[in-house]
Amino acid sequence: ILHTNGLGLNYTSSKFKTYKKKSLINIDLISVKHDKEYKIFGSFDENAKKFVYGKLNSLYSFRVGLGNRLVLLEKLRENGVQLAINYSGGPSLGLIKPVFLEVFKYDISGQIAGISLERYDPELHSFYNIYGRGNWTAGLMSTRLNPGAFFKFGLEFEYSTNREIINSLEIGFSADVYLNSINLMVNNSQRRYFPSLYISCSIGNKFF
């Protein structure tokens, strides 16, 4: 899945209810970025990793949803296109992971003595002492959970030339709402509501 706030993975299982209607089970894991995120280099060292200045937390959304697929236009020939609408909703669990950075440490003479991995603190860390982004696993054990709900609605184009194979492209709208507000960036208001537009490419099998 590629969406306006990031990217992710989706698993969908569907089952016929009627000739043109299927029930859906969706499982999504997506990253959610702030629209003001911009990666920069903090050091001239080519080994330093880019980081987002002012980013306090990373947000990932784990969704489990139920819904339906309704066929609007059937595939009339083998190399045709089937048009359908998909809609689903359910619980969404926000995974909030604090950002860790590698920062320069100085000795009493003002010379660089080493590099330390620290949780980003806007009061302590600036352009002048940040070396680069820490490893993704840093802060994993400090991840907080924020329960919520989601809804998504999409238009699906299924274009497989094989009856037993699924090749489809879906475009649509989704929104996550969380119980508690989330602060992703310094000097930006906290948010509970995260809408986005998405495009999803699916590959799979049909079992008859």
Side-chain angles (χ1 to χ4, degrees):
I1 302 173
L2 180 65
H3 64 107
T4 49
N5 294 332
L7 48 83
L9 297 172
N10 162 267
Y11 170 79
T12 299
S13 177
S14 62
K15 186 176 181 179
F16 279 106
K17 295 178 69 176
T18 65
Y19 175 60
K20 288 190 175 183
K21 190 174 183 180
K22 295 180 180 179
S23 60
L24 301 177
I25 299 176
N26 286 312
I27 300 175
D28 296 343
L29 178 61
I30 62 171
S31 62
V32 182
K33 297 181 179 179
H34 194 281
D35 53 9
K36 293 185 178 181
E37 290 189 23
Y38 182 75
K39 289 185 177 180
I40 62 173
F41 279 111
S43 170
F44 292 107
D45 187 341
E46 62 181 13
N47 294 318
K49 298 178 181 178
K50 282 186 175 183
F51 69 99
V52 178
Y53 187 67
K55 183 172 182 176
L56 292 168
N57 297 293
S58 296
L59 173 62
Y60 302 90
S61 178
F62 179 73
R63 305 162 167 172
V64 178
L66 300 176
N68 290 291
R69 172 180 292 132
L70 180 62
V71 175
L72 301 179
L73 182 64
E74 293 183 75
K75 188 183 297 185
L76 299 179
R77 61 184 191 278
E78 188 173 323
N79 59 346
V81 175
Q82 175 181 281
L83 180 63
I85 57 172
N86 295 330
Y87 55 92
S88 61
S92 175
L93 184 63
L95 310 174
I96 307 167
K97 186 174 77 70
V99 170
F100 276 70
L101 300 174
E102 293 182 336
V103 298
F104 291 115
K105 307 306 287 186
Y106 300 90
D107 58 24
I108 56 175
S109 64
Q111 300 297 312
I112 297 175
I115 296 174
S116 174
L117 181 65
E118 300 179 6
R119 181 172 179 171
Y120 174 61
D121 184 342
E123 299 295 327
L124 301 176
H125 306 134
S126 68
F127 286 114
Y128 305 104
N129 62 3
I130 297 175
Y131 173 72
R133 186 182 75 251
N135 292 328
W136 182 85
T137 53
L140 200 59
M141 299 306 295
S142 301
T143 298
R144 294 179 288 115
L145 304 181
N146 191 355
F150 85 97
F151 173 80
K152 67 178 180 179
F153 178 90
L155 191 62
E156 181 190 75
F157 303 87
E158 206 281 317
Y159 51 88
S160 173
T161 58
N162 188 317
R163 184 172 179 267
E164 297 181 353
I165 301 297
I166 298 172
N167 286 317
S168 67
L169 191 68
E170 181 180 343
I171 55 175
F173 167 83
S174 68
D176 293 82
V177 181
Y178 295 104
L179 181 64
N180 302 306
S181 298
I182 301 170
N183 192 5
L184 296 180
M185 298 283 291
V186 176
N187 298 326
N188 284 272
S189 58
Q190 300 186 25
R191 298 165 58 186
R192 297 174 56 221
Y193 177 59
F194 294 86
S196 67
L197 300 175
Y198 71 87
I199 181 170
S200 174
C201 179
S202 300
I203 299 172
N205 275 84
K206 297 177 183 178
F207 302 93
F208 298 95

